[in-house]
Every structure is written in C-alpha cells, then in structure tokens.
Amino acid sequence: MIKPRLLVDDTVVVADRVAGLLGLLHAQRATRITRLTGKHVTVTDNGVVCRWRRSTS
C-alpha cells in the first residue's frame, strides 16, 4: 500500500510524500497541489492547515 509508505518511509523525498498524501487523502489533483505556496499553508502548535480556496480579499 502506498499510503503507509508515504507516511513513514524516510527514503522518499519529503516533498513527494506530502504531494502524494495530499492527492490520496484530500483527493486533490496534481495541478492544484503544484500551485500551493507557503501562503496557502498555516503551521501551528495544533497542526498544519492547507487552504484550497482562493482568498476573497
């Protein structure tokens, strides 16, 4: 199974693991994943949040 490998296999590049998990767990297309930037991702003590929608501001 690919999901467990993406979660724990440190021989896979981290960026590939994250992109793979976003595709598998959130059903996001590769084109949307590749458009993510740092401003779409928020890291807090409680976890990480990805905003998929465009900002209205």
Side-chain angles (χ1 to χ4, degrees):
M1 300 221 11
I2 191 137
K3 188 169 58 171
R5 182 169 180 221
L6 291 172
L7 288 170
V8 298
D9 187 349
D10 60 4
T11 64
V12 178
V13 178
V14 172
D16 294 342
R17 290 170 62 186
V18 171
L21 286 167
L22 288 171
L24 286 171
L25 301 175
H26 296 284
Q28 297 299 321
R29 294 180 184 203
T31 54
R32 284 192 88 184
I33 293 170
T34 58
R35 285 185 285 189
L36 281 177
T37 66
K39 62 184 174 183
H40 293 102
V41 180
T42 304
V43 180
T44 68
D45 291 338
N46 296 323
V48 178
V49 175
C50 290
R51 287 175 313 188
W52 296 105
R53 294 185 184 170
R54 291 184 181 166
S55 169
T56 57
S57 56

